[in-house]
């Protein structure tokens, strides 16, 4: 049953605003990294005046756990001997805090103990391991988040504070050109690099020896430019895969040539498995990481948009630029199977500078050009478009990263239920609240969609409700009882009102002919729309979102 409004605890909007923005005012944080050895969190700062530098802070690690850890005969934590537990707590610098449940059953059965230490995160894990239970192997008893997320939640720091627009963040994109589809069958002959502050370069190689130098120089360019975000288009599946593979084939140690921002020079280039959430589907991919940088694949943002926008039919760069009206009038196109051949063709070609059209035959209005120059123009247009698509499609990820206590790479790939989970975990930590136990996934009753007539029709009326799900939840109090503080209602109301404010400002600016500001406010409301609508989806995913309640979703 819905919760009556007079039964929902009141939280003022100023409190919610301060919570979402992060209580710590520190600006220009672009990345955070954890150093286990010293138990430090390193903050990468990109100050517009002071430039890029790092600073470090001590982490106070924590996790949530169930009461069963201490009482269960099956677990037999330190033999359930109070003296042994007390001695272990002293040894590992551990303290245990019982959290508020307000008598709610799911909170009582959930993670109602906050366990933290004055030592490192792995020390905290060892405290439990020595007692007979491994937190990561027994996740049903623990709620764990990464050390960086622990720090962001406990400190109230957030990414990108001080940057109003995504384009204010220093971003760099790159693209490679190859002689084949697989790195074992060919080699790379060009790498194009461009940032959003005017830097642009094309690196070339005419032999394997020059290819080695080109790869080394590519990482030197990264170290010279030092952007906050590095992106490519389908770069995780192609470009980075090629670079890593060619390094292995050519005998290059990528961990030595790929310099990171680690002041101790210990953290290296690495690739690890990650997950991309696309609506109801999950796709695994290899995530590239370099200490201090945010490395993203721009195609992920387009594919995530495709999952919720049926008007986008393809994630291809050529298609998406035309669909979004990004493509330049003189954009140079080359079929993929002709790029390598054209690059090494010494015959003369002809190009129309105004249209980008090129030919082997001389035509009126065309200028002579080499095949190498045509491929270079094509590559430069590719990276220009990648930068523009990134600026358009990752605007929402950037804005969400400003309120979510996690790294940008995760924001760019995470699902909607995880968004609300992070927000509610953060709220629970700040307010001393227990975290509910998770529920089981099950099917639920949804809406029915049918085509009643097939063919051509005229005089069609389309009925669309403004913010349907958030409006229903706010109006009728559809929230889980385990949200004992009323945080979900207060946050949804705040975000609902804020989005409407931005929509009004966008329409107002558009009516006044101010397209730039209209676009600005339109971009600001988009991530709020995603967060608002995702609360309903989160309700029906109790196996992910601890506060989920399928009955409320139905």
């Amino acid at each position: 049953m819905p919760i009556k409004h007079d039964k929902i605890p009141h939280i003022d909007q100023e409190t919610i605003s301060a919570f979402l923005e992060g209580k710590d005012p520190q600006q220009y944080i672009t990345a955070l990294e954890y150093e286990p050895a010293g138990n430090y969190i390193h903050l990468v700062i990109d100050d517009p005046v002071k430039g890029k530098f790092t600073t470090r802070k001590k982490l106070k690690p924590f996790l949530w756990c169930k009461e069963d850890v201490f009482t269960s005969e099956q677990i037999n934590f330190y033999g359930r001997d109070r003296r042994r537990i007390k001695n272990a707590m002293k040894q590992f610098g551990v303290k245990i805090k019982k959290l508020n449940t307000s008598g709610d059953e799911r909170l009582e059965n959930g993670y109602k103990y906050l366990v933290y230490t004055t030592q490192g995160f792995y020390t905290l894990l060892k405290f439990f391991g020595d007692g007979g239970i491994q937190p990561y192997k027994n996740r049903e008893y623990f709620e764990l988040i990464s050390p960086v997320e622990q720090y962001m939640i406990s400190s109230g720091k957030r990414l990108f504070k001080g940057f109003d627009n995504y384009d204010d963040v220093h971003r760099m994109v790159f693209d490679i050109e190859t002689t084949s589809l697989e790195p074992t069958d060919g080699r790379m002959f060009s790498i194009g690099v461009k940032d959003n502050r005017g830097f642009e370069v094309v690196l070339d190689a005419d032999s394997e020896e020059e290819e080695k130098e080109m790869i080394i120089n590519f990482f030197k360019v990264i170290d010279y430019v030092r952007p906050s975000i590095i992106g490519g288009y389908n770069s995780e599946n192609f470009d980075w895969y090629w670079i890593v593979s060619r390094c292995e084939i050519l005998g290059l140690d990528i961990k030595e040539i790929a310099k990171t921002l680690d002041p101790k020079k210990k953290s290296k280039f690495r690739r690890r498995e990650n997950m991309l959430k696309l609506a109801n589907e999950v796709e695994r991919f290899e995530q590239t990481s370099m200490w201090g940088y945010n490395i993203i694949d721009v195609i992920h943002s387009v594919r995530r948009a495709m999952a919720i926008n049926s008007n986008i039919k393809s994630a291809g760069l050529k298609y998406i630029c035309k669909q979004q009206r990004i493509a330049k009038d003189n954009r140079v196109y080359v079929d993929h199977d002709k790029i390598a051949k054209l690059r090494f063709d010494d015959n003369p070609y002809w190009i129309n500078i105004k249209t980008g059209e090129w030919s082997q035959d001389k035509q009126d209005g065309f200028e002579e050009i080499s095949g190498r120059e045509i491929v270079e123009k094509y590559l430069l247009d590719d990276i220009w478009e990648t930068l523009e698509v990134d600026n358009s499609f990752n605007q929402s990820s950037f804005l969400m990263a400003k309120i979510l206590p996690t790294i940008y790479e995760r924001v760019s790939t995470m699902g909607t239920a995880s968004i609300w989970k992070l927000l509610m975990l953060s709220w629970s930590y700040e307010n001393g609240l227990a975290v509910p136990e998770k529920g089981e996934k099950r099917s639920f009753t949804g809406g029915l969609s049918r085509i009643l007539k097939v063919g051509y029709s005229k005089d069609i009326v389309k009925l669309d409700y403004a913010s349907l799900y958030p409006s229903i939840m706010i109006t009728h109090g559809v929230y889980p009882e385990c949200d004992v503080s009323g945080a979900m209602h207060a946050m949804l109301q705040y975000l609902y009102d804020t989005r409407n404010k931005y929509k009004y400002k966008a329409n107002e600016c558009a009516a006044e002919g101010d397209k730039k500001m209209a676009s600005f406010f339109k971009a600001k409301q988009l991530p709020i729309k995603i967060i608002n609508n995702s609360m309903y989806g989160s309700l029906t995913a109790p196996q992910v979102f601890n506060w989920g309640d399928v009955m409320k979703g139905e």
Side-chain angles (χ1 to χ4, degrees), residues 457-468:
S457 299
K458 294 190 296 183
D459 301 325
I460 297 174
V461 176
K462 179 184 178 182
L463 184 63
D464 187 16
Y465 292 92
S467 303
L468 177 61

Side-chain angles (χ1 to χ4, degrees), residues 66-311:
K66 290 185 176 181
E67 188 173 36
D68 292 349
V69 171
F70 309 115
T71 61
S72 169
E73 291 184 16
Q74 182 180 355
I75 296 173
N76 198 31
F77 190 61
Y78 285 102
R80 292 196 295 162
D81 184 326
R82 287 179 177 268
R83 187 178 63 178
R84 287 183 61 197
I85 295 174
K86 188 175 181 180
N87 288 339
M89 289 173 64
K90 185 177 181 180
Q91 176 188 350
F92 295 112
V94 167
K95 293 188 185 258
I96 302 173
K97 177 183 177 182
K98 189 173 183 179
L99 301 168
N100 179 26
T101 65
S102 294
D104 179 81
E105 183 179 0
R106 287 184 62 191
L107 293 178
E108 284 288 339
N109 295 331
Y111 311 90
K112 62 179 182 180
Y113 289 94
L114 185 73
V115 186
Y116 55 96
T117 179
T118 54
Q119 301 178 32
F121 180 56
Y122 294 105
T123 301
L124 183 59
L125 297 180
K126 184 170 172 51
F127 164 71
F128 285 101
D130 286 3
I133 185 168
Q134 301 290 343
Y136 277 107
K137 291 181 179 179
N138 299 272
R139 296 296 292 264
E140 68 271 25
Y141 296 106
F142 298 91
E143 191 60 64
L144 300 119
I145 53 178
S146 73
V148 166
E149 290 169 347
Q150 293 170 41
Y151 176 76
M152 294 181 77
I153 285 176
S154 61
S155 68
K157 293 185 188 292
R158 296 293 182 267
L159 287 175
F160 305 134
K161 191 170 286 188
F163 298 110
D164 292 330
N165 298 301
Y166 187 42
D167 207 34
D168 294 336
V169 181
H170 192 186
R171 299 177 293 117
M172 186 195 91
V173 298
F174 75 101
D175 188 25
I176 69 171
E177 299 300 345
T178 68
T179 60
S180 63
L181 292 177
E182 287 296 327
T184 52
D185 301 328
R187 63 179 179 83
M188 295 187 293
F189 60 82
S190 286
I191 303 178
V193 181
K194 182 180 179 65
D195 76 355
N196 62 336
R197 296 183 178 178
F199 180 86
E200 182 179 272
V201 67
V202 173
L203 307 173
D204 283 313
D206 291 332
S207 66
E208 283 199 345
E209 194 58 36
E210 289 185 3
E211 183 187 11
K212 289 174 69 173
E213 286 300 312
M214 181 178 70
I215 294 172
I216 292 171
N217 287 333
F218 168 64
F219 286 108
K220 285 182 178 179
V221 167
I222 292 176
D223 190 48
Y224 170 75
V225 176
R226 295 197 164 196
S228 296
I229 297 172
I230 300 172
Y233 208 82
N234 196 32
S235 50
E236 292 293 19
N237 289 332
F238 189 79
D239 302 72
W240 285 115
Y241 163 66
W242 257 85
I243 290 171
V244 171
S245 298
R246 290 303 294 168
C247 280
E248 292 174 355
I249 293 168
L250 295 168
L252 289 172
D253 186 349
I254 196 169
K255 292 185 177 181
E256 291 301 317
I257 63 174
K259 295 181 180 179
T260 71
L261 296 177
D262 180 7
K264 293 187 175 181
K265 311 298 182 185
K266 291 183 177 180
S267 298
K268 306 295 184 180
F269 176 100
R270 66 191 178 106
R271 297 256 286 168
R272 57 184 171 80
E273 188 178 84
N274 200 356
M275 291 188 296
L276 171 66
K277 191 72 168 64
L278 300 165
N280 295 322
E281 298 179 4
V282 174
E283 183 177 293
R284 297 185 183 277
F285 72 99
E286 287 291 308
Q287 171 76 58
T288 305
S289 295
M290 289 176 64
W291 198 101
Y293 294 107
N294 298 291
I295 297 183
I296 63 169
D297 192 335
V298 180
I299 200 173
H300 289 167
S301 63
V302 176
R303 294 186 62 202
R304 279 153 64 92
M306 281 180 65
I308 58 175
N309 185 350
S310 59
N311 290 325

Side-chain angles (χ1 to χ4, degrees), residues 286-525:
E286 287 291 308
Q287 171 76 58
T288 305
S289 295
M290 289 176 64
W291 198 101
Y293 294 107
N294 298 291
I295 297 183
I296 63 169
D297 192 335
V298 180
I299 200 173
H300 289 167
S301 63
V302 176
R303 294 186 62 202
R304 279 153 64 92
M306 281 180 65
I308 58 175
N309 185 350
S310 59
N311 290 325
I312 302 176
K313 308 300 182 184
S314 169
L317 183 61
K318 179 179 178 180
Y319 167 85
I320 207 67
C321 287
K322 289 186 175 181
Q323 196 262 354
Q324 295 288 310
R325 298 179 182 176
I326 292 173
K328 296 187 289 187
D329 291 337
N330 63 344
R331 208 293 193 205
V332 174
Y333 293 105
V334 182
D335 292 339
H336 285 192
D337 59 346
K338 296 178 181 178
I339 296 173
K341 182 180 178 180
L342 181 63
R343 164 66 171 73
F344 296 101
D345 189 347
D346 293 329
N347 291 314
Y349 286 85
W350 305 86
I351 190 169
N352 186 319
I353 299 300
K354 293 182 179 180
T355 65
E357 182 185 356
W358 56 274
S359 172
Q360 282 186 298
D361 302 319
K362 185 176 181 179
Q363 300 179 36
D364 291 340
F366 281 53
E367 299 176 11
E368 186 174 348
I369 191 172
S370 68
R372 182 187 187 120
E373 290 173 319
I374 292 174
V375 171
E376 182 172 305
K377 284 181 177 293
Y378 165 78
L379 177 57
L380 289 172
D381 283 346
D382 256 9
I383 55 178
W384 181 88
E385 289 185 342
T386 299
L387 200 59
E388 291 297 309
V389 172
D390 176 45
N391 190 45
S392 177
F393 280 82
N394 271 319
Q395 186 74 230
S396 59
S397 294
F398 159 72
L399 292 168
M400 281 196 287
K402 297 184 74 169
I403 66 173
L404 293 176
T406 191
I407 60 174
Y408 186 62
E409 289 167 349
R410 189 180 178 207
V411 173
S412 301
T413 57
M414 71 195 302
T416 52
S418 296
I419 292 174
W420 277 103
K421 179 175 180 176
L422 265 179
L423 288 174
M424 289 301 292
L425 284 176
S426 183
W427 177 265
S428 297
Y429 178 90
E430 287 192 15
N431 292 276
L433 295 169
V435 176
E437 66 174 341
K438 292 177 182 174
E440 293 184 4
K441 181 180 180 180
R442 68 170 178 84
S443 58
F444 59 92
T445 304
L448 176 64
S449 178
R450 281 183 176 173
I451 298 176
L452 302 177
K453 181 181 178 181
V454 178
Y456 176 76
S457 299
K458 294 190 296 183
D459 301 325
I460 297 174
V461 176
K462 179 184 178 182
L463 184 63
D464 187 16
Y465 292 92
S467 303
L468 177 61
Y469 290 123
S471 297
I472 290 175
M473 295 178 73
I474 291 170
T475 303
H476 299 288
V478 185
Y479 306 102
E481 280 81 1
C482 59
D483 177 22
V484 294
S485 69
M488 290 176 69
H489 170 75
M491 279 191 259
L492 187 61
Q493 183 70 66
Y494 173 82
L495 292 167
Y496 178 87
D497 292 342
T498 301
R499 185 191 173 216
N500 284 339
K501 179 180 72 176
Y502 290 150
K503 285 174 65 179
Y504 173 80
K505 292 291 291 182
N507 292 334
E508 186 178 54
C509 291
E512 294 172 354
D514 190 342
K515 294 182 179 180
K516 183 177 180 180
M517 290 307 297
S519 178
F520 172 73
F521 285 113
K522 185 177 180 181
K524 286 182 77 72
Q525 66 84 32

